[in-house]
């Protein structure tokens, strides 16, 4: 089951969504109590835009493996995507209780706090995540967004630049860097980032919207 789960995640990263779903479902058939199999299926479902189904898969995972912190953290991510802020915060807090030194847990807790405009809590969580794993771009992105929300545009942009440096081919990171450049009126840097974003992900509406505003 674990082998199929790992292959499903690999297929997700290669945009082979049908193969990912097939492998993830097979993983769950072989290992129905495995949190890893449920997490893999949730990524395959998300890649196929089945966000509600992915959330339900993780609800099954934490019901079967209530002590698995990564499953709780992943559940919180999906609940945030669906706008279920209170549920996401509760899941993130559960993940932190189980594994306070897991970077992914702190990242999820940070974004849950950011969604509720509790920027101080968000910054603390992202800073702890960076201490745990400074090579992960997500907490740098989250910290930058929290600072920008507090009006610290230049400092926030610096954190987002760090996120882009760690994952330069990530369209989401590039889009947010373009937005931060736009807010600081740093033309043509903003347009350059939007152009890169369009090349990386032609389906992301963000660069088109902000380029139009610019």
């Amino acid at each position: 089951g674990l082998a199929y789960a790992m292959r499903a995640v690999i297929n997700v990263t290669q945009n082979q969504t049908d193969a990912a779903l097939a492998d993830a479902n097979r993983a769950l058939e072989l290992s129905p109590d495995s949190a890893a199999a449920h997490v893999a299926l949730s990524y395959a479902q998300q890649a196929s835009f089945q966000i509600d189904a992915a959330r339900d898969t993780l609800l099954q995972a934490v019901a079967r493996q209530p002590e698995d912190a990564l499953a709780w953290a992943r559940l919180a991510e999906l609940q945030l995507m669906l706008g279920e802020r209170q549920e996401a915060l509760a899941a993130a807090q559960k993940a932190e209780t189980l594994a306070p030194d897991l970077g992914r847990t702190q990242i999820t807790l940070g974004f849950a706090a950011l969604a509720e405009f509790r920027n101080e809590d968000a910054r603390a969580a992202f800073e702890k995540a960076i201490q745990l794993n400074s090579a992960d771009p997500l907490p740098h992105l989250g910290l930058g967004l929290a600072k920008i929300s507090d009006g610290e545009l230049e400092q926030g942009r610096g954190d987002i630049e760090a996120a882009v440096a760690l994952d330069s081919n990530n369209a989401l990171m590039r889009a947010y860097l373009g937005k931060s450049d736009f807010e600081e009126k740093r033309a043509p840097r903003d347009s350059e980032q939007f152009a890169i974003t369009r090349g990386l992900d032609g389906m992301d509406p963000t660069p088109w919207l902000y380029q139009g505003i610019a």
Side-chain angles (χ1 to χ4, degrees):
L2 181 60
Y4 277 99
M6 293 174 68
R7 193 167 72 174
V9 174
I10 292 171
N11 284 329
V12 167
T13 65
Q14 297 177 337
N15 294 318
Q16 298 176 6
T17 54
D18 290 340
L21 281 169
D23 281 337
N25 280 307
R26 181 59 176 156
L28 209 57
E29 290 175 8
L30 293 170
S31 304
D33 292 327
S34 168
H38 284 84
V39 170
L41 179 57
S42 77
Y43 280 115
Q45 289 168 326
Q46 180 184 341
S48 299
F49 305 105
Q50 302 174 32
I51 308 300
D52 290 285
R55 186 258 335 266
D56 293 342
T57 295
L58 265 297
L59 287 171
Q60 295 173 15
V62 297
R64 290 174 177 266
Q65 298 290 342
E67 302 304 311
D68 193 293
L70 185 59
W72 282 105
R74 175 68 179 144
L75 173 59
E77 290 178 5
L78 291 162
Q79 288 170 329
L80 274 180
M81 292 179 197
L82 292 169
E84 301 171 355
R85 295 181 180 179
Q86 291 301 318
E87 294 87 346
L89 179 59
Q93 290 172 336
K94 177 66 174 178
E96 184 186 36
T97 300
L98 292 170
D101 292 331
L102 182 64
R104 196 72 182 185
T105 298
Q106 295 299 326
I107 292 170
T108 307
L109 195 63
F111 279 110
L114 195 61
E116 294 192 328
F117 303 101
R118 293 186 292 103
N119 292 351
E120 186 176 347
D121 292 339
R123 290 170 73 147
F126 291 132
E127 287 169 353
K128 184 172 182 179
I130 291 170
Q131 291 174 359
L132 293 169
N133 182 9
S134 61
D136 190 333
L138 276 177
H140 292 280
L141 172 65
L143 183 59
L145 294 176
K147 289 180 180 179
I148 289 172
S149 181
D150 284 333
E152 301 173 16
L153 299 184
E154 183 177 353
Q155 297 90 329
R157 190 238 314 153
D159 289 303
I160 297 176
E161 285 176 337
V164 170
L166 290 166
D167 192 359
S168 60
N169 290 323
N170 188 304
L172 178 68
M173 307 289 180
R174 292 283 186 178
Y176 274 116
L177 180 55
K179 286 171 68 177
S180 63
D181 284 329
F182 173 81
E183 294 296 337
E184 288 189 77
K185 305 186 187 308
R186 284 163 49 90
R189 292 177 182 268
D190 54 352
S191 295
E192 292 169 357
Q193 293 302 324
F194 296 142
I196 295 172
T197 302
R198 289 196 296 270
L200 293 170
D201 184 1
M203 298 301 291
D204 185 350
T206 307
W208 298 97
L209 172 64
Y210 275 84
Q211 186 63 63
I213 296 172

